[in-house]
Amino acid sequence: MARLSLSKTALHKETALLKRYRQYLPSLDLKRQQLLIERYKATAKLAETEQMMQQCRDFVSKELPMLSDTRIDLHGLVTVSAVQVGDENIVGIHVPVLEHIDIHIQPYSTYAKPHWVDAVVIQLTRMMELKIRSRIDRQRLEILDVAVKKVTQRVNLFDKLLIPRTEQNIKKIRIFLSDTERANVVRAKITKQKRQH
């Protein structure tokens, strides 16, 4: 850290810095609050997606026990053909947003396959959509977590380090300048008294 210069120029510089820090801190804190809200929303959305996935699993295990029959080939019945992921800007942070999922259902004969295959297709389609949503939601949450951490560190840097240090520097410079001014006045009085004698 550079040594503090105790002059009027340094006082003006430190005062300007303090003003800039105090102007920047509220907008930085607002950004942090907005990111916290978005992180909360992303956490809730991920939890909702995971709950829907669990409901899907529960439904399959309860209503479709016949899936354990390995003689019926269901491989490749439902596949994801395309996933379109967009980009959302949240207070300067770019996060992924799921725009569209194309799921391809392989045509099958309703006469050659058992009747419950229709229910399996519906559940497979739903589960694939939910897994993709979950992956995007998780990425979104990870990005927001990192952003919140960075912005919080910056807020703390300004609030707990830069502003107090600058205020302390201003106080030191003012004390030094007033002491110097007082010493100059005393010196001038002493010089004046010596001239009068």
Side-chain angles (χ1 to χ4, degrees):
M1 189 174 135
R3 191 168 167 270
L4 181 65
S5 172
L6 301 171
S7 64
K8 285 187 178 182
T9 307
L11 179 63
H12 289 300
K13 182 182 165 194
E14 292 291 319
T15 306
L17 268 177
L18 182 62
K19 184 179 177 186
R20 206 171 324 136
Y21 292 157
R22 285 188 174 152
Q23 284 175 341
Y24 189 58
L25 181 62
S27 62
L28 198 58
D29 193 40
L30 181 64
K31 181 176 180 175
R32 183 181 63 87
Q33 290 171 13
Q34 288 173 327
L35 285 172
L36 284 169
I37 290 167
E38 288 299 324
R39 185 178 70 175
Y40 175 77
K41 286 180 188 173
T43 304
K45 191 175 177 192
L46 178 62
E48 182 185 342
T49 303
E50 287 178 347
Q51 183 184 6
M52 289 166 73
M53 286 170 69
Q54 189 55 49
Q55 287 171 352
C56 191
R57 284 187 205 102
D58 292 345
F59 177 83
V60 168
S61 65
K62 184 179 171 188
E63 302 293 327
L64 298 168
M66 53 287 271
L67 271 175
S68 58
D69 186 356
T70 54
R71 292 173 297 169
I72 308 258
D73 182 31
L74 300 174
H75 183 73
L77 191 61
V78 179
T79 55
V80 176
S81 55
V83 177
Q84 190 175 351
V85 179
D87 187 52
E88 184 182 359
N89 186 340
I90 300 173
V91 290
I93 308 300
H94 295 278
V95 291
V97 61
L98 184 61
E99 290 180 348
H100 186 70
I101 304 170
D102 278 335
I103 293 181
H104 176 71
I105 299 169
Q106 187 68 35
Y108 61 93
S109 169
T110 50
Y111 299 111
K113 300 267 187 202
H115 67 86
W116 51 265
V117 172
D118 293 340
V120 170
V121 167
I122 292 168
Q123 293 306 314
L124 278 173
T125 304
R126 188 164 179 241
M127 187 55 103
M128 285 183 169
E129 281 181 13
L130 289 171
K131 279 188 175 182
I132 292 167
R133 280 187 198 287
S134 172
R135 194 172 339 126
I136 300 296
D137 291 348
R138 216 173 283 283
Q139 287 173 356
R140 188 178 174 95
L141 186 58
E142 286 170 10
I143 292 168
L144 287 170
D145 277 340
V146 170
V148 165
K149 186 178 177 184
K150 271 186 188 175
V151 172
T152 301
Q153 285 173 344
R154 285 189 189 141
V155 167
N156 288 339
L157 175 70
F158 278 86
D159 194 36
K160 304 214 177 0
L161 187 72
L162 294 176
I163 290 176
R165 185 189 298 157
T166 307
E167 287 172 338
Q168 194 176 13
N169 288 347
I170 289 170
K171 189 177 176 183
K172 279 182 192 175
I173 294 169
R174 283 189 176 146
I175 289 171
F176 177 79
L177 291 175
S178 75
D179 286 351
T180 305
E181 192 177 311
R182 198 174 301 115
N184 288 341
V185 168
V186 169
R187 204 174 300 117
K189 283 184 180 180
I190 292 171
T191 307
K192 186 177 178 183
Q193 284 176 353
K194 283 184 181 179
R195 284 187 190 156
Q196 287 177 351
H197 290 297

